[in-house]
Every structure is written in structure tokens, then in C-alpha cells.
Amino acid sequence: MSAALLEIDDVVARYGQIEALRGVSLMVGEGEAVALVGANGAGKSTLMKCLMGLLAPASGSVRFAGKDITRKATFTRAELGIGYSPEGRHIFQGLTVHENLLVASRDRDGGRGHAEDIYAIFPPLREKTAARGWELSGGQQQMLSIGRALMLRPRLLLLDEPSLGLSPLLMTEVLNRVQDIAARGTAVLLAEQNVHKALSVSHRAYVIKLGRIIKASASSELLADADLTSAFLGAY
Amino acid sequence: MLLQILANALALGAAYALLALGFVLILNATGAVNFAHGDMVMAGGYVAIAMGSVLQLPGALLLPLVVAVMALLGFVFSWFAYFPLKNRPPVSVFISTIALGIIFQNSANAIYGAAPRKGPPLLSEGNFGMGGITIGAQALGIVVVAIVLIVAQHLLLNRSGIGRKLRATAQDREMAEAVGIRVNRMIALTFALGSALAGAAGLMLSNTFFITPTDGTNYVIKAYIAVTIGGWGSLSGAVCGALIIALFEVLFPSLPLLIPPLKIIAPWLFTQTASTILLYVGLLAIMFFRPQGLFGETVQRRV
Ligand SMILES: Nc1ncnc2c1ncn2[C@@H]1O[C@H](COP(=O)(O)OP(=O)(O)OP(=O)(O)O)[C@@H](O)[C@H]1O
Ligand SMILES: [Mg+2]
């Protein structure tokens, strides 16, 4: 296993009375693609928010690249190299596609050069550079959301349900790009309800249920054990 | 005659536009109404008067200084009125801005007293004659300054990296921070920018209409009406709304001058008081029947 880039230790998170995470521990290695699979309400998005500092954990710790970032501000985490594509995409609606990319860049040239790389990864965006966020289709928004997260040249990419609302064809397309991104050395933590596809593009996987990690193994192993997958996750 | 009235309306509208733009920028960035925004106009007027009496310079040269001082004041203001309360409901910020506004008013009263003061003119008090029509130098100056500032504001917001960050912050604060933008810095900057625009308006209005410590309330309500007319959150709408208000305020009471029979039919209708009442009736009507503003389409998008 590669050196640990992200280490989550016994994280508990609450929304008021609801305990959404009940002591989650997991690890993502440098350049590794890790899937986080689980049913509706299992706590996947909650964990992503804790990692990004958008929700403060009640206890537990998060370490990134050897630093304790549990109490760090959200923008600091971005600066340290965590890219985030949230559930629901959250692209900047009033900014154009190109502006959505540039605004996330920390490059000297304002990101103009790097934006070209993003258009190479997601060609449909190239035809829409001047379109406003709200003019995009769901698939284009998803591509833009991932592309924007890549603009800060992250060491770790957090992807929360990129397949949500996409056609099977488009979903395959987007997840294949995710696989490419990981192959080029960016670590990926991919939260998905779409278990089969998520497992097929990742190295390892964690199964989360009711705020607890109930299984951790190689993706190929989980994938082979189809019965196990459906037992843990319901009808998939 | 009509041209002169229109020139005055345009000048007033231009000053209101600066005021309304700052108001809506802060509204978009924070989601909260800054009720002290009118007091920034008042403060700008007094800063201009203070600097003018020391430096003995015309308003046009004082303008950059007033803008800088007011930007600093807006920056400091945000640390007291906004940041301590930013995680509370927007109404808390609304209340804290009212409180700070009252402090501003009382400070101005303590320093300058309640009597109206006159600010320095941009260039001179004279008139420009052009082909038989005369237009006040101040009115012309206000329009020119406002156009320059509005264009500068537009370029800053839409053509610069910092402008992209300001807009991203206004649209989605959490996501802006998640892409590495220092959101608090952007919001403080927005307060600085908005207050600077209000201060510029204050410098110019204080010459034409004088200034008293309590003028702010009137001005912030004008900004509020302009934004309601133009569509909540829309920058271009705010400018249009400001022009419409000014046109109404200037044109309506002078209708009898243009159409003498009106003076006989309904003299009570074309007074300053009646026109103010009508303006507020119009505001209520828009709020009831077109909550998205006169120009806004369905749900307002913040662009
Ligand atoms: N803002 C919130 N306020 C209160 N409870 C919440 C909030 N967000 C999530 N929850 C609760 O926390 C639990 C975990 O939710 P979370 O969104 O993390 O699940 P998820 O695994 O991402 O689900 P999905 O696959 O549907 O996106 C759920 O029980 C949910 O109802
Ligand atoms: Mg989720």
C-alpha cells in the first residue's frame, strides 16, 4: 500500500440530535482511487463535508499529507490540495464555464493554460466556455464541477456522487474520466450509490452503513462477491 | 426647460445608482440588508466637507481621497457589523447595521451639529451653456463621475480575477471557500467597495442637496426601492431602478411647470410631499404584484 495521504480516525459527526457518522476511520493512499459505497443516508456526503471543513466533527481527527487538518478552515484545505466536487455539483451559476474554472485556479497565469487541460479531459465543456452555469445540462455541470476541482491541482479529489442524475452512458463516461485522473497520480475518494461502477474504477473500497464502516477490501474482491454487495447495500 | 429638468433628474439618478449599486453588492455578498448604507452616503458627504475645508480643493480632486477613506471605513464597518454575526440569521446583521448607522449619525451630529452643511462642488458652481441650453456644471460632473465609477465597477467585477472571486463568493459562499477563495476577505472587500461608491455619491449629493446627520435613512430607503424595482440582487436592475426613482422625483413635481393647466386642475398633487407618497405607493405595488422586480424574470439570478 502507498503512503497515507488522507487518514480519518474515529470521526463522529452530528446534525443536532442525528448522529450521521458514528466513528468512521479510513485511509486513502497517495495516488490511490478509493470508493466509498453505501445506501441513501449512510453518511457519505456527511463524511465529505467533514473532510472539507464544511461540517465540524464532534470528535475524531482528519490528517492530510501528515498534517492534522481537523480544525482547519475550508480554504486552507483547498490550498493544501484537496479538491471537492460536491453532491449536487454546486457550480457557480452566474459565472461562465471558463470563469468557473479560472476562479478555482492558483496558477500564475490565472489558470488559462490549465483550463485547456480540463477541456481536453472533458471536450463537451470546450464548446460551452462562454455559457453560464445555469445554461448547462446535468452532465456538463458534473464535468465542470470535477474540472473546477482539478483546477487547483489537488493531491486528493473528493467526488460526491458524480453519477447522480446522469444517463448510464454519460455516467460511464464521467467515471472513466475519474479513472484516468487517478491513473495520472491524483488520489480520489469517490462516494457512490452506484456500487458496480464505483468498484470497477477504484482500487479499494469501504462500505458505509448508518454512519459506520462495515467493510473494507479491494474493489475487485467486493465486486466478485456480488451477493455480499447486495446484502450490504440492498438491491443493487 | 425640459432638458434642464432631465439633466437634473439624470444627475440625481446617477448618484442614486452609485448608492444602489453598493447596496446590492453588499446584499449579494452577505445575503443581508445593510441599513447603514445610507449613512455611508452621509459620512462621505462629511468626509468631503472636512477634507475640503483643510485642503481647499474642488470635489473632483477630493473624490479619490474620499473614496479611499470610505473604503477603509466600509472595511472597518464590516468587522463590527457583519463578521461577529455572520453565522446568525440575516436579520441580526440588519439590526447591527441599524445600530452602527445610529452611532454614525450621532457622531456626525456631535462633530458637525444638526444644521445642513454644503459639500464642495466637483468643479465650480457655474453652468455650462451649450447651443442655447444651460446645464449645471455639478449635474454634468455627477453624471460623468458616476459613469466612470459604474464602468470601473463593472470591469472590476467581470474582467478581473478578483472580480470573479467576488462574484463566486456572492453566489455560493461555501463552494467559494471550497475552491480556495478567502471568502471573509472577499466580503470585507465588498463592504469597502460598496461604501466607497456610497461615499462618492455622498460627496456629490452634499453639494446639490446639502447634508445633515440624519439624511442616511432617506438614502438607504431610496437604494432599497431602486433594488426592489430593478429586481432583488440584480446590478443592472439597481441602476435602472435608481434612474427611474430620480426621474420620478424630479419630473413629477415639475409637471405643472411643463404643462401649466395641471397647476389649476390639481395643485395639491404635484408637490414634493405627494410625490414622495406616490413613490412609496409604487414601491408597495411592485412588492405586491411583481415581487421579482419590474425587470426581474421569475426567480432572480445573481449575475
Ligand atoms: N443538513 C442535515 N440536517 C440534518 N440531518 C442531515 C443533514 N444532512 C444529512 N442528514 C442526515 O444524516 C444522515 C447521513 O446523510 P448523508 O447525506 O451523509 O448520506 P449519504 O450517504 O450522502 O446519502 P445519499 O446517498 O442519499 O447522498 C442521514 O440520516 C441524513 O438524514
Ligand atoms: Mg450524499
Side-chain angles (χ1 to χ4, degrees), chain B:
Chain B
M1 174 73 101
L2 179 63
L3 272 174
Q4 210 160 329
I5 291 171
L6 283 179
N8 287 340
L10 192 61
L12 184 63
Y16 282 174
L18 292 178
L19 163 66
L21 258 182
F23 180 80
V24 84
L25 284 172
I26 294 171
L27 174 70
N28 286 351
T30 63
V33 166
N34 174 14
F35 203 77
H37 196 65
D39 297 306
M40 293 296 183
V41 176
M42 179 271 292
Y46 282 113
V47 170
I49 289 168
M51 290 190 157
S53 69
V54 175
L55 300 175
Q56 297 295 327
L57 290 171
L61 295 179
L62 293 172
L63 187 69
L65 296 173
V66 171
V67 161
V69 170
M70 289 306 296
L72 191 66
L73 187 63
F75 194 80
V76 172
F77 175 85
S78 70
W79 286 101
F80 289 96
Y82 175 71
F83 286 110
L85 299 168
K86 70 180 168 122
N87 295 324
R88 308 275 180 80
V91 71
S92 326
V93 176
F94 178 63
I95 302 292
S96 77
T97 60
I98 291 178
L100 252 88
I102 292 173
I103 294 174
F104 279 10
Q105 289 171 23
N106 285 299
S107 312
N109 203 357
I111 303 171
Y112 287 101
R117 294 285 203 117
K118 187 173 192 187
L122 281 171
L123 290 175
S124 70
E125 306 273 0
N127 290 311
F128 278 119
M130 285 189 304
I133 48 170
T134 54
I135 290 172
Q138 180 72 5
L140 200 64
I142 291 178
V143 173
V144 171
V145 168
I147 289 175
V148 168
L149 290 178
I150 290 171
V151 168
Q153 175 276 139
H154 180 83
L155 292 178
L156 174 75
L157 230 52
N158 293 291
R159 295 276 182 278
S160 75
I162 199 111
R164 275 196 292 275
K165 290 181 181 172
L166 289 169
R167 281 153 64 217
T169 299
Q171 285 167 27
D172 188 335
R173 261 170 278 167
E174 278 199 348
M175 201 56 231
E177 196 161 347
V179 300
I181 297 170
R182 299 190 178 218
V183 162
N184 286 349
R185 221 179 260 183
M186 292 302 132
I187 291 177
L189 202 61
T190 305
F191 272 98
L193 187 63
S195 305
L197 291 175
L203 179 150
M204 301 190 291
L205 289 168
S206 66
N207 176 254
T208 319
F209 299 100
F210 298 29
I211 197 92
T212 72
T214 51
D215 280 352
T217 311
N218 186 30
Y219 284 128
V220 74
I221 289 173
K222 295 287 158 58
Y224 194 99
I225 300 176
V227 172
T228 305
I229 292 175
W232 209 236
S234 157
L235 299 185
S236 50
V239 172
C240 292
L243 289 172
I244 289 175
I245 294 175
L247 200 64
F248 181 81
E249 279 186 345
V250 174
L251 204 56
F252 190 78
S254 35
L255 277 180
L257 286 176
L258 299 167
I259 314 165
L262 289 177
K263 217 179 316 192
I264 300 150
I265 301 167
W268 46 269
L269 183 59
F270 299 97
T271 59
Q272 208 76 49
T273 321
S275 84
T276 305
I277 292 172
L278 274 176
L279 188 63
Y280 285 89
V281 170
L283 168 70
L284 289 175
I286 290 169
M287 287 170 88
F288 279 130
F289 299 113
R290 276 192 72 84
Q292 71 274 36
L294 281 187
F295 310 115
E297 286 174 21
T298 57
V299 180
Q300 190 57 49
R301 297 191 186 281
R302 292 167 176 172
V303 179

